[in-house]
Amino acid sequence: MPVIPFLILFPFAVSILMYVIRNNKVRGIIAYAASGMIIAGVLGLTIQWYLGGCRKMALSYSSEIPGKAILIGEIALMCLVTFMCFKYHKYWISLLSIVPTCLMVWLDFSGMEFMTEGQIYIDHLSILMCLIVGIIGGLIVIYAVGYMHGYALHHQEFEDRRYYFFMVLFLFLGAMFGFVLSESLIWIDFFWELTSVCSFLLIGYTKTEEAITNCFRALWMNLLGGTLLAIGIVYFAVSTNIVSLHLLVNMGAAGKTVAMIPVAFIAFAALTKTAQLPFSTWLIGAMVAPTPSSALLHSATMVKAGIYILFRLAPAMSGNYIGIMIAFIGGFTFFDASVMAIAQSDGKKVLAFSTISNLGLMVACAGVGTGETIWAGTFLMIFHAISKSLLFQDVGATENATHSRDIEAMHGLMYRLPRLAIFMFIGIAGMFLAPFGMLISKWAVLRASVDERNIILVFFIVYGSATTSFYWSKWMGKLISRPHKAFEPVKDITKPNELFSLYIHAILMIALCVLFPLLSKLYVDPLVAEEFGSYREVLPTSLMYTLVLIIIFVFAVPLIAYKIGSRQRVDIRLSYMNGVNAGDNNQFTDSFGNPKMLWLSNYYFHRKIGQRKLMRVSQLFTLAFIVVMLCVIIGGAI
């Protein structure tokens, strides 16, 4: 399949062009064309694979060139990371790149012959990931062209390095294609490290002190996971002469002790990549980067790499200590992050904590490792990718228009910026309202957990879902409330390319909700059957179609509100304020002649369940749990 090398190599070639070309207009045109070609390539691969019977395929390349290129790439990444660490005096972090690279170089020059099913592997899961990376990632790049133009105008205190930004975006896409299509563990290690370095470069885009601190935090946490990933790969290769991911999973599923340590170490690496506790702070710190990079990290690239590899490992983790460790950490993160999200009023931070929380539920699905949980986890991944990409882009567009991303500043947004408010409503609805895919998937995980008698996970899912509904409801209520005070006129400055991406995301979200039963029957059911052989039906088809009808009525709410709001002029009526109203519903004079300010806002429990209150304790608890479980797993495997 020649389209596979194209998907991996083409974004790398475009990234070079992005860096070389310094004319913003020309670069934008190339970015549009390249994004369209990537989306077309992904659709072409999907059609070609479908016409071939949707068969699992392992592809091998007899030439030594790809292997040598991977080795050179590993060394180049090590040199780049080491240079940056020494430049910013973060010397110890460089060891987390030097050690795994030296291990992989030693493995390559060891002279051992390794068995593998091929370097590339194609099945339902890898095709699904290609669709997410290609379509969602391509749309984010299209959105970024217009957004970064406005970003450069509004943030002139930062150096305009759009050439650098788009270079990393395309490098990221190429790394993700390489990762999800690789069967060789050696290839997987390289692309894994490349995604870590790309996220580091994006987070540090502005070069502020905060950005530098946060990007190096993301780097060392992900490189720590990458170090254990490399150790696990080398251990497995030396012990078995095998460097095939699927052979590793098959041996793990069969209970072979030689596979337990590699599976545990790779699963640990996935916890760092998916920002699970105690490693969640790197993803929260990533919010300092421009919005397109946040959308890419949260929806189509970085964190989804960790979910993908955990879904691959799920059969090898089912019913053992590795699965218990992963399911507990995922469930606890789902609950704990959703509690901390309640205390956030910054829109991007709410999205960040929500991402960590929902990733936790997907991680828990992989840890339980049954057909039912992977069915639910797959839908969680699909809906989360589209919803989060839509919401991040919409919050970015709203911030450009209102100069604020605070949720309280979005009061009555349906009447002030109706188009952006509708997009936001659709994204939020997709995240938590019944009967959308995310909520159906949570119900499926809950049912599977009850069947498995995993009482602790049931507790996490029930209360995590309740707190999730709480913070999303607060946000949605702000959008559709009538303005209670006078606002400065707001002009919608969203550019056509940004709107194009937002419209496509909204259409995809609605289409997936309506086509939920069809998607389950034609794609997700075969995906689960391919990995587990067979599984019990989660939802009857007739019930799914009933849910679809309800979804149609749910989507009618913002459209009706928009029609009514666009025809009516919003009149701000003066309210009684226990004194003389100053005329703007913001201030009044009390009976003693003292000026008073009126505050009308949601309550956020900052001092009770905020990040500062819960994060450190949660990190220490989960770190101790992981260390104990890894000791038990390693002790049992030796």
Side-chain angles (χ1 to χ4, degrees):
M1 288 186 174
V3 71
I4 292 176
F6 169 81
L7 288 176
I8 298 173
L9 298 177
F10 178 70
F12 291 159
V14 175
S15 70
I16 297 173
L17 282 177
M18 293 292 103
Y19 188 83
V20 171
I21 298 173
R22 300 303 172 95
N23 184 291
N24 291 323
K25 188 173 183 180
V26 174
R27 191 190 313 112
I29 294 172
I30 295 176
Y32 291 142
S35 299
M37 293 173 69
I38 289 172
I39 294 173
V42 167
L43 295 176
L45 173 63
T46 305
I47 293 171
Q48 187 178 1
W49 173 75
Y50 181 80
L51 295 177
C54 301
R55 295 180 296 106
K56 295 187 290 186
M57 289 185 288
L59 306 177
S60 299
Y61 296 95
S62 56
S63 172
E64 294 184 0
I65 295 177
K68 296 304 178 184
I70 292 292
L71 181 63
I72 294 172
E74 288 260 17
I75 296 172
L77 286 178
M78 180 193 69
C79 293
L80 174 62
V81 170
T82 303
F83 170 77
M84 296 299 290
C85 289
F86 274 73
K87 179 180 178 181
Y88 290 98
H89 309 293
K90 311 284 186 180
Y91 308 109
W92 69 271
I93 299 178
S94 63
L95 294 174
L96 296 176
S97 179
I98 295 171
V99 171
T101 301
C102 290
L103 285 174
M104 300 309 294
V105 171
W106 173 84
L107 189 66
D108 187 78
F109 285 99
S110 64
M112 291 184 287
E113 295 291 331
F114 300 114
M115 182 173 64
T116 180
E117 291 190 347
Q119 289 88 13
I120 299 294
Y121 193 88
I122 303 174
D123 63 356
H124 283 82
L125 184 55
S126 59
I127 290 293
L128 174 61
M129 286 301 300
C130 283
L131 288 169
I132 291 175
V133 173
I135 296 176
I136 303 300
L139 289 172
I140 290 172
V141 171
I142 292 172
Y143 167 87
V145 175
Y147 176 88
M148 291 304 293
H149 174 73
Y151 186 87
L153 291 176
H154 296 140
H155 297 279
Q156 295 186 9
E157 69 274 19
F158 304 138
E159 181 185 353
D160 185 0
R161 297 192 298 153
R162 277 176 275 178
Y163 62 92
Y164 167 91
F165 186 81
F166 283 95
M167 176 198 71
V168 181
L169 288 187
F170 279 100
L171 199 62
F172 221 145
L173 294 181
M176 280 301 298
F177 281 125
F179 178 76
V180 302
L181 290 169
S182 292
E183 166 65 8
S184 168
L185 290 169
I186 295 173
W187 287 33
I188 286 173
D189 178 78
F190 166 69
F191 289 117
W192 183 276
E193 293 299 287
L194 183 54
T195 60
S196 298
V197 173
C198 286
S199 66
F200 160 72
L201 296 175
L202 284 175
I203 296 169
Y205 173 77
T206 60
K207 292 185 178 181
T208 62
E209 184 177 351
E210 182 185 15
I212 296 300
T213 300
N214 291 352
C215 73
F216 274 102
R217 182 192 298 121
L219 183 65
W220 79 255
M221 286 187 176
N222 283 284
L223 288 182
L224 176 64
T227 301
L228 263 70
L229 174 76
I231 293 172
I233 290 172
V234 172
Y235 173 84
F236 184 66
V238 171
S239 302
T240 63
N241 287 341
I242 296 173
V243 291
S244 168
L245 174 61
H246 279 81
L247 291 178
L248 169 64
V249 173
N250 292 339
M251 293 175 68
K256 302 288 185 180
T257 55
V258 71
M260 291 298 103
I261 291 178
V263 170
F265 282 8
I266 295 173
F268 173 85
L271 292 180
T272 64
K273 189 74 76 175
T274 53
Q276 298 299 281
L277 287 167
F279 309 107
S280 301
T281 50
W282 80 256
L283 192 60
I284 298 168
M287 295 301 99
V288 300
T291 294
S293 59
S294 299
L296 200 65
L297 287 171
H298 287 248
S299 61
T301 54
M302 190 72 168
V303 297
K304 291 300 187 294
I307 297 300
Y308 165 78
I309 202 69
L310 285 174
F311 283 2
R312 285 288 189 211
L313 296 174
M317 298 189 295
S318 179
N320 56 38
Y321 285 117
I322 305 173
I324 293 173
M325 176 182 75
I326 297 300
F328 181 85
I329 292 296
F332 182 81
T333 303
F334 171 62
F335 168 69
D336 198 53
S338 65
V339 171
M340 285 187 278
I342 294 174
Q344 308 302 319
S345 61
D346 183 306
K348 284 184 71 173
K349 281 196 173 183
V350 172
L351 295 180
F353 277 102
S354 170
T355 294
I356 294 168
S357 176
N358 283 283
L359 290 172
L361 191 55
M362 298 177 218
V363 168
C365 288
V368 175
T370 64
E372 293 79 10
T373 58
I374 297 301
W375 182 93
T378 301
F379 273 111
L380 284 170
M381 182 169 64
I382 294 171
F383 279 93
H384 181 267
I386 298 173
S387 290
K388 276 299 161 64
S389 180
L390 173 61
L391 285 170
F392 267 108
Q393 293 179 51
D394 196 45
V395 168
T398 303
E399 182 182 8
N400 278 345
T402 64
H403 305 292
S404 173
R405 60 175 186 243
D406 193 285
I407 293 173
E408 294 303 316
M410 297 180 191
H411 189 100
L413 196 69
M414 186 69 74
Y415 301 92
R416 297 187 291 138
L417 293 171
R419 186 164 51 185
L420 294 180
I422 289 176
F423 288 139
M424 205 173 291
F425 184 97
I426 292 173
I428 293 174
M431 289 300 299
F432 88 107
L433 276 185
F436 287 81
M438 289 289 286
L439 197 67
I440 294 173
S441 301
K442 289 177 184 177
W443 177 85
V445 181
L446 179 61
R447 173 179 165 179
S449 301
V450 171
D451 291 343
E452 294 289 326
R453 298 183 179 180
N454 193 331
I455 304 302
I456 296 177
L457 188 55
V458 169
F459 172 86
F460 288 149
I461 294 171
V462 169
Y463 287 96
S465 298
T467 50
T468 296
S469 298
F470 185 51
Y471 64 76
W472 284 130
S473 297
K474 288 197 299 180
W475 192 340
M476 185 175 283
K478 277 291 178 182
L479 297 179
I480 61 179
S481 299
R482 291 181 69 88
H484 64 281
K485 62 181 181 179
F487 289 93
E488 293 183 6
V490 179
K491 181 180 179 181
D492 190 345
I493 59 173
T494 312
K495 296 186 177 298
N497 56 338
E498 295 176 79
L499 287 173
F500 174 79
S501 180
L502 289 168
Y503 273 116
I504 296 298
H505 275 84
I507 292 170
L508 282 174
M509 173 59 66
I510 297 172
L512 282 176
C513 290
V514 174
L515 299 176
F516 190 98
L518 192 62
L519 180 62
S520 176
K521 182 178 180 180
L522 296 181
Y523 200 91
V524 180
D525 288 357
L527 183 154
V528 176
E530 190 174 62
E531 191 163 358
F532 290 91
S534 61
Y535 80 108
R536 182 188 59 193
E537 185 181 52
V538 178
L539 285 176
T541 304
S542 58
L543 177 58
M544 289 188 188
Y545 282 111
T546 302
L547 296 176
V548 167
L549 292 176
I550 301 174
I551 287 172
I552 294 173
F553 287 107
V554 171
F555 276 124
V557 173
L559 295 177
I560 293 172
Y562 172 67
K563 290 295 183 182
I564 295 175
S566 61
R567 294 175 182 174
Q568 295 181 352
R569 187 168 64 88
V570 180
D571 295 320
I572 308 299
R573 298 182 179 179
L574 296 183
S575 304
Y576 174 70
M577 305 177 70
N578 204 30
V580 180
N581 194 314
D584 58 2
N585 283 344
N586 288 332
Q587 303 175 72
F588 66 96
T589 303
D590 66 12
S591 56
F592 293 98
N594 298 319
K596 299 286 186 180
M597 180 72 71
L598 174 70
W599 295 96
L600 180 62
S601 69
N602 289 313
Y603 189 57
Y604 289 94
F605 306 94
H606 292 293
R607 298 182 179 180
K608 295 181 175 61
I609 55 174
Q611 180 181 347
R612 292 184 179 180
K613 196 78 173 179
L614 297 182
M615 181 60 77
R616 183 58 60 87
V617 175
S618 301
Q619 286 178 311
L620 292 173
F621 171 70
T622 49
L623 178 61
F625 179 80
I626 290 173
V627 170
V628 170
M629 292 302 296
L630 284 177
C631 290
V632 171
I633 293 165
I634 294 171
I638 295 177

